[in-house]
Amino acid sequence: MGLNARKNLILKSVVDDYIGTAEPVGSKSLVNKYSFNVSPATIRNEMAELEELGYLEQPHTSAGRVPSDKGYRAYVDHLLQVEDLPQKEAEVIRSYLRENMDEVTQLIRRAASVLSEKTDYTSLVLSPQYRKSHLKQIKMLMIEPGRALVVVVLSAGVVKDRLVRIPEMLDAQQLMQVASAIEDGLSGMTLDDITLVTVAAAARHTPLPESLINQVMYEAYLSIKQADQLDLYLDGSHRLLAQPEFQDVRKAHDFLETLNRDKLVAGYMSELKEDQDISHSDYENNEELVNNGTHIKCHAADDPAYMVRIGQEILLDGLKECSFITTSYKIGDTVAGKIGVIGPKRMAYGKVISHINFVKMTVNEQIRRLANGEDENGGIV
Amino acid sequence: MGLNARKNLILKSVVDDYIGTAEPVGSKSLVNKYSFNVSPATIRNEMAELEELGYLEQPHTSAGRVPSDKGYRAYVDHLLQVEDLPQKEAEVIRSYLRENMDEVTQLIRRAASVLSEKTDYTSLVLSPQYRKSHLKQIKMLMIEPGRALVVVVLSAGVVKDRLVRIPEMLDAQQLMQVASAIEDGLSGMTLDDITLVTVAAAARHTPLPESLINQVMYEAYLSIKQADQLDLYLDGSHRLLAQPEFQDVRKAHDFLETLNRDKLVAGYMSELKEDQDISHSDYENNEELVNNGTHIKCHAADDPAYMVRIGQEILLDGLKECSFITTSYKIGDTVAGKIGVIGPKRMAYGKVISHINFVKMTVNEQIRRLANGEDENGGIV
DNA sequence: TTTAGCACTCGCGAGTTGTGAGTGCTAATT
DNA sequence: AATTAGCACTCACAACTCGCGAGTGCTAAA
C-alpha cells in the first residue's frame, strides 16, 4: 500500500489547500495554485486512485475532494515537516510564561491561554497527577478552635492544602503532635499507597485519646487523597466558533457541551498514552508511505514528543469532528500533566505542533525554575 | 405615562408568549391563546398604542410584535409575580449544595453548576470580595529551605494561602518571628488599608537584619493583596447556543468571547450595585404602570433581593442581546460575592428569579454552616 | 368604544433556472 | 504506457419568481 512521490505531493497539496480554504479542492485549482507540470486530467486520475485507497473523499459527485481521516493521518505522520517557532514569536511566549510567575497553577493557566491565543484554536491543560509522588511532609496549622489548615508537601516540590474542621477541644500543641505522628508514619510513601488504614496506623502513635484523633486523621487522609485531583483548564472555547465547520450551531453546541464536562475530558486526557506505536515505518524522504490505517503514531524523540488524534480516533462523542494534539509536561521525573490543542480536523497541524512543543518545553523549564528557586532571569535568588 | 389594566394584560401576554415561542406575536393569535373577550382589532389598536409608548416593537411591518427593552423592564418590574420554587425542586437543589461540602470555593462552583442546569441558561458566580475584611492572622510555614507557605486568615473566617520563596539562610524560627511581627502589626486592619508601607513598618519589629526580612515582608504583602482577588466561575456557557437568538454563530461567538474574558466580566459584576433606585413607584395591583424608562429596579426586601439588567442596560459589549439577573450572597456581615444567570432577553424571568433566590439563600445558609462548623444535617460536629 | 371589512405588507418556503467548478470516460498524442 | 484534450454529465448554490399566510392600519358601521 505504498504511494508514489506524485501521489504524496498531491495528497499534501490537497490537505494544505483544504486547511487553508475549507473548500473541497479540485484538480484544476490544484494545478493552478501548486504549479504541477502535468494537466488537470492527470491529477484527476491520481486523485481518483487516492480516493480508492481511502485517503480522500468526495462530499458529493462533482465537487472537489476532501481529505479523509486516513488522509490526515498520512499527512501528519509522513508529509508534514514541523518547523521551529520563529525566534520572535518564541520570545513573546517565553516572556509571557516567565513574568511574575510563582505557582504551577498559574503557569498552567497561562500556558493554556497563550496556546489558544496563538493558534486560534481551543486549548486544554491538565494539571499534574501526583499519584506516584511521595509524601514529604504533612503539617497542620491551627486557624482557630475547631478549624485547621492541612498542608501536604509532595516530593515533586508541590504543596497542596485544605481547610478542615477538627474537634474544638484540640489545642495547637496536640494538633501538631498528631500531624507529626502522621508525617512520621507516612512520609516517603507514594500517594497511591496511602490508605485510610495506613493513616490510621500512623496517627495511633500518639498519647492522645482516639476520640480526639479520629476526625483529624480522617481529614488528613482526605487532604492527601485530594492532592492528586485532576484539574482541567480550558481556554478559548469560543475560538472554534469562528471555524466554518462550526457554522452549524448544533455542532458548536455539542462540541461545547462535551468540553464543559470537565471530569469526562480530564479523565480522557489523563488516559492518553504517548508511547503507543512509534514505528516510524520505512517511510522516508517522501518516497513511500506506509500506514496500517489504525495505528496512532507518536513522535517520541523525547523532547518534541507529541501525539495527534484525528477525528474518530478521539473517543469522546462530541469531538469526533475534531483533531486533538497533546503533549506531556513534567514535574520532577515522572509526574506529568498534559497540554493539548483541539481544533477542526482541518487544523494547521504544523503551526499547532510547533507551538505546543515550544510551550511544553517552556513549561518544563519554568517548572524546574520554580522548584529550584531561581528567579525570572535564571539566576539564583 | 400610565397604562390601563388591559394594556398591562396585553403587554404581559405578549411577553409571556414571546418568551415561550420566540416568534413575534400578533393580535389574532393573542386573542386565541389568552381568551381575551374582545376582537383582534381592539387588541391591534392597543398594541399600536403600546408600540407608540415604546413597550413593543415590530421587527418589520406586518409581522407580529416583540417586546422592547422597555417592555421587558415593565414586565419584570410590575407584571411578573415570582413564585417560590416547588418543594421538590428546592429539596433537590438544597441537598446537592449540602452534600460533601467543605470549602466555600466548592460551594460556589456547585451553585453555578446547579443554577445553569436548572434554568438552562448560563450562570456566573463571583467569588467574595474581601477588601473590607479584617486581617486576623498571618502565618508562615517553612516547607524547605528557601520556600515557605504564607497563610492569611481573614475575619470572615476565610483562609487563603500562597507558596513563596524566601532567603535560603532564614530558618524556621526566624521565619516565625517575622510572621508574628507582621501579624502583630497588621491584625485588625482591613485589606484595603494594608499597604507595602504598613507591612514594612510591622516587619521592622524584629531583631533580624533587614536584608533577610525584606523579601519575606514583600511576599507577605503580596499574599495579603492576593487574598481579595476576584475569581469568576462560569457554568453552562454552551446552553445559550440552544436558544434561537444564538442561531447566528457570530452572535454566539461574540457572546462566548465576552464571557471568556474573566477579568472583564468579574470586574463588571463586582461593580453592580443593588441599592440603586428602589422606588416601587405608585404601581399597584396591575392598575397602573409607572416607569421612567431608565431606572433599574431592584427588589430590596432583604432576602429575595435580586437585580435585573435587560439588554442595553448591560454595559458589556457582547452581552447587549441578553438579560442578566444577579443577586448577592454573604459571608459574615459585609463580604459578598455575586450569583448571576445570563440568558436571552426573552428569558423565563420568573423561573430564573425563583431559582436564583433559592440558590442564594441556600448558599448563605451553607456558608454560615461551614463557618460555624455544623455538619450537613445541621447539628454540631 | 368596539369591531367588521378590506387593502396592503412582507417574510418565508417551494419551485425554477443558470452558472460554474467539478467529475469520469474515451480517444488521440507523446 | 502514461498523459492529455475533449466532451458530456453532475450537482451545489445563488438568484429569481410566486403564492401563501399571518400580520398590519384604516375606515366606516354598530
Side-chain angles (χ1 to χ4, degrees), chain B residues 150-198:
Chain B
V150 182
V151 180
V152 176
V153 184
L154 305 182
S155 57
V158 176
V159 179
K160 296 267 179 174
D161 52 52
R162 179 163 166 269
L163 201 57
V164 304
R165 275 177 255 136
I166 54 171
E168 297 263 350
M169 34 285 192
L170 209 66
D171 65 30
Q173 178 69 37
Q174 295 169 317
L175 185 63
M176 269 204 8
Q177 273 180 37
V178 184
S180 64
I182 295 177
E183 180 175 304
D184 289 348
L186 300 180
S187 79
M189 293 176 75
T190 67
L191 294 197
D192 259 356
D193 292 338
I194 296 178
T195 64
L196 194 49
V197 178
T198 55

Side-chain angles (χ1 to χ4, degrees), chain A residues 232 256-267 316, chain B residues 238:
Chain A
L232 184 70
L256 282 178
E257 186 173 21
T258 305
L259 278 195
N260 279 349
R261 302 172 78 178
D262 295 22
K263 280 182 210 107
L264 182 74
V265 178
L316 296 177
Chain B
H238 64 279

Side-chain angles (χ1 to χ4, degrees), chain A residues 103-115:
Chain A
E103 302 246 23
V104 173
T105 310
Q106 193 190 3
L107 175 66
I108 288 172
R109 282 195 141 117
R110 285 212 196 164
S113 151
V114 75
L115 249 187

Side-chain angles (χ1 to χ4, degrees), chain B residues 6 38-39 42 45 60-62:
Chain B
R6 190 168 66 194
V38 292
S39 81
T42 310
N45 291 330
H60 52 263
T61 10
S62 92

Side-chain angles (χ1 to χ4, degrees), chain A residues 219-233:
Chain A
E219 294 292 358
Y221 167 72
L222 288 183
S223 303
I224 293 169
K225 279 304 164 194
Q226 196 199 251
D228 75 339
Q229 177 187 299
L230 287 177
D231 287 321
L232 184 70
Y233 302 95

Side-chain angles (χ1 to χ4, degrees), chain B residues 49-114:
Chain B
E49 283 179 54
L50 279 169
E51 183 171 356
E52 218 160 277
L53 294 171
Y55 294 98
L56 298 179
E57 39 197 45
Q58 278 181 296
H60 52 263
T61 10
S62 92
R65 279 168 172 106
V66 157
S68 66
D69 283 11
K70 185 177 172 186
Y72 284 119
R73 170 57 55 202
Y75 176 84
V76 168
D77 284 355
H78 304 303
L79 303 174
L80 178 71
Q81 66 279 50
V82 177
E83 284 160 28
D84 278 348
L85 229 48
Q87 196 67 35
K88 212 170 151 190
E89 179 86 341
E91 210 36 68
V92 171
I93 294 177
R94 181 182 285 129
S95 66
Y96 179 68
L97 288 181
R98 280 198 186 173
E99 208 162 74
N100 299 322
M101 187 61 63
D102 32 39
E103 301 246 24
V104 173
T105 310
Q106 192 190 4
L107 176 66
I108 288 173
R109 282 195 142 117
R110 286 213 195 161
S113 151
V114 75

Side-chain angles (χ1 to χ4, degrees), chain A residues 220-291:
Chain A
Y221 167 72
L222 288 183
S223 303
I224 293 169
K225 279 304 164 194
Q226 196 199 251
D228 75 339
Q229 177 187 299
L230 287 177
D231 287 321
L232 184 70
Y233 302 95
L234 186 65
D235 204 288
S237 58
H238 64 280
R239 292 212 163 85
L240 288 203
L241 296 205
Q243 298 291 337
E245 23 274 285
F246 291 92
Q247 285 317 93
D248 179 357
V249 185
R250 277 191 49 103
K251 280 190 190 159
H253 178 269
D254 293 351
F255 171 77
L256 282 178
E257 186 173 21
T258 305
L259 278 195
N260 279 349
R261 302 172 78 178
D262 295 22
K263 280 182 210 107
L264 182 74
V265 178
Y268 174 67
M269 264 186 95
S270 72
E271 306 268 291
L272 289 177
K273 287 286 179 301
E274 300 198 346
D275 29 333
Q276 201 131 349
D277 175 351
I278 315 176
S279 67
H280 252 247
S281 76
D282 44 340
Y283 188 92
E284 185 190 310
N285 199 21
N286 278 2
E287 290 270 320
E288 209 183 351
L289 185 147
V290 175
N291 188 306

Side-chain angles (χ1 to χ4, degrees), chain B residues 213-270:
Chain B
I213 300 178
N214 265 344
Q215 191 186 348
V216 178
M217 179 273 289
Y218 185 59
E219 294 291 359
Y221 168 72
L222 288 183
S223 304
I224 292 170
K225 279 305 163 191
Q226 194 199 250
D228 75 340
Q229 177 187 300
L230 289 177
D231 287 321
L232 185 70
Y233 302 94
L234 187 63
D235 204 288
S237 58
H238 64 279
R239 294 212 162 85
L240 287 204
L241 296 205
Q243 298 291 336
E245 23 275 284
F246 290 93
Q247 285 319 91
D248 179 357
V249 185
R250 278 190 48 103
K251 278 189 189 160
H253 178 269
D254 293 350
F255 171 78
L256 283 178
E257 185 173 22
T258 305
L259 278 193
N260 279 350
R261 304 173 76 179
D262 294 22
K263 279 180 213 111
L264 182 73
V265 178
Y268 174 67
M269 265 185 94
S270 72

